[in-house]
Amino acid sequence: MSNISPNIEASWKEILTEEFSKPYFANLKEFLVEEKKKHKIFPPGSQIFEAFNRTPFHKVKVVILGQDPYHGPGQAHGLCFSVQRGIKQPPSLKNIFKEIKSDLNIDPPEHGNLESWADQGILLINATLTVRAHEAGSHQKKGWEIFTDTVIRKLSEQREGIVFLLWGRYAQDKQKLIDNNKHHILKAAHPSPLSAHNGFWGCCHFSKTNQLLKSQGLTKIDWSIKD
């Protein structure tokens, strides 16, 4: 991150410019500088804002909200639920692909890189954008949640017709930030193996998302992941 504001895509920089000058963001940057002196941080600095850089503000059609980046080596690269090619698919991501197979009969891919989703207008953001290696939740309540709540609020206020996929209680708590008279909210259990049986299986969010996009005259999402 620069001393002035993060290296983030132009439309997001314009929308979020006030945030970068607020005290909480300065404190967050200071925290991250100190963290990097002592610990390995994921994702790499150049990929912290990857979700925004791949999906400009005016191109967002769908939002998938995660909680925390993966904290293992080589996993996190700035898109929630996504891992780099060559990295083993985490259990939640495997379950997402299983539900897509059940819903749309699309075979699970060999890898877990979701960049093609982001490039089609799916904003894949975690509530917390960084994490200390091997310590889940280690960067929670340091300021990231204020930032990402603002992102959701700005999308709600300034856009229309976005499909928000809220999986699990944590994501569903963000519903209060979204105007459901202007946007579509689909809720289900989290795809984690601990909770998928509580309503993620059979949620059909992928076909439902495409139906909602089609009803607005928008291009449907190609949920298949090319190898």
Side-chain angles (χ1 to χ4, degrees), residues 58-122:
H58 54 284
K59 291 189 176 177
V60 176
K61 298 195 290 189
V62 181
V63 175
I64 298 179
L65 182 70
Q67 184 169 358
D68 217 30
Y70 297 124
H71 53 83
Q75 290 182 305
H77 65 119
L79 306 177
C80 73
F81 292 106
S82 180
V83 290
Q84 296 278 31
R85 284 173 174 79
I87 300 292
K88 184 180 177 184
Q89 294 176 10
S92 293
L93 183 57
K94 279 189 173 180
N95 284 345
I96 289 170
F97 291 146
K98 285 180 185 175
E99 177 60 22
I100 290 173
K101 171 67 174 175
S102 170
D103 184 12
L104 295 168
N105 199 31
I106 295 171
D107 289 330
E110 294 294 317
H111 64 84
N113 187 308
L114 304 181
E115 288 173 354
S116 65
W117 290 4
D119 293 342
Q120 293 178 77
I122 303 181

Side-chain angles (χ1 to χ4, degrees), residues 29 96 144 190:
K29 286 167 74 172
I96 289 170
W144 278 130
H190 194 278

